[in-house]
Amino acid sequence: MMHGFANPKRFLTLASWLTPLLLAAGLVLSGGALWWGLTQVSPDRLMGETVRILFLHVPAAWLGMGGWTAIAISSLVYLVWRHPLAALAARAAAVPGLVFTLICLVTGSIWGRPTWGTWWVWDGRLTSMLVLAFLYAAYIALAQAAAREGVSARIPAIFGLVGAINIPIINRSVVWWNSLHQPPSITMGNSAIDGEYLAPLLVAVVGFSLIFGGIVLARMRALLADIQAEARLRRRASEAV
Amino acid sequence: MREALDQWDFVLAAYAVGVVGTLAIIAWAWVDMKRAERRRAESRRK
């Protein structure tokens, strides 16, 4: 199945209707979840009204880490099977991954001020998330340089795989080191979050994930169209000589 | 002395950052996709 969708023509047929569908469904779900979180849930006993930041901060953190996981998986597929679309998928996930990582860092900092009394602490969770933002920026620069210079996409793919080491570090940081950040609230099959907050949170995570998927497809279509236009213009130029 | 912080100011600031950031990346990805696909269509016609 994967090899079938690696065909650019088949991919474009699928992506042409899937891109607006994912974006529209994502906007409806995430918009609804944010409205739910902002107006319908009651203030938390400890965090008060600021608990509402949860519905933005957690999906952004999930997508920051999910974006790099997508880069690592796509890079592995590219290195093993040499699918050019896999390299495009990795490049396409980088900018939205960076944006959601930055949203996570900024909303977390805004949340930290009234709950911890500080905008920032250099603890394991915050620092490893900041490292993730730097990794995204480096990956974007590397992938753009590789595409511009016409060199193999192997170097950014290897960087994408090596950078994935940071993902389990982010995930386990609140367990390994003392932190102001709370320990994991949602684990496999278990949740420490009250149902009143969990339901809109899950809707927000699904909604923002659909948006992320739509953005990745749009980026893949843009990168693919640029490559095809470039190749056609170059062919014309060589024929004219 | 304890600071008087209005928690809603922080909530609204966080929502503004998240919503504006999300809408901006969607708009940029969509406009850039349309630009690239128009460029490909023009390269076919030339």
Side-chain angles (χ1 to χ4, degrees), chain A residues 139-158:
Chain A
Y139 178 87
I140 291 165
L142 195 59
Q144 276 181 353
R148 193 177 50 240
E149 303 299 324
V151 296
S152 163
R154 281 184 68 183
I155 296 167
I158 292 167

Side-chain angles (χ1 to χ4, degrees), chain A residues 95-151:
Chain A
V95 174
L98 173 62
V99 168
F100 281 106
T101 301
L102 292 175
I103 289 174
C104 168
L105 285 168
V106 175
T107 55
S109 179
I110 293 171
W111 202 359
R113 182 67 184 89
T115 50
W116 301 341
T118 180
W119 298 100
W120 185 265
V121 281
W122 290 101
D123 74 351
R125 173 56 65 88
L126 277 70
T127 308
S128 56
M129 208 63 196
L130 184 64
V131 168
L132 180 65
F134 291 142
L135 285 173
Y136 271 121
Y139 178 87
I140 291 165
L142 195 59
Q144 276 181 353
R148 193 177 50 240
E149 303 299 324
V151 296

Side-chain angles (χ1 to χ4, degrees), chain B residues 9-37:
Chain B
D9 291 345
F10 293 92
V11 173
L12 294 178
Y15 271 63
V17 168
V19 170
V20 170
T22 305
L23 292 179
I25 180 78
I26 291 173
W28 171 74
W30 188 263
V31 169
D32 194 55
M33 177 189 80
K34 290 290 175 192
R35 176 208 53 80
E37 291 184 339

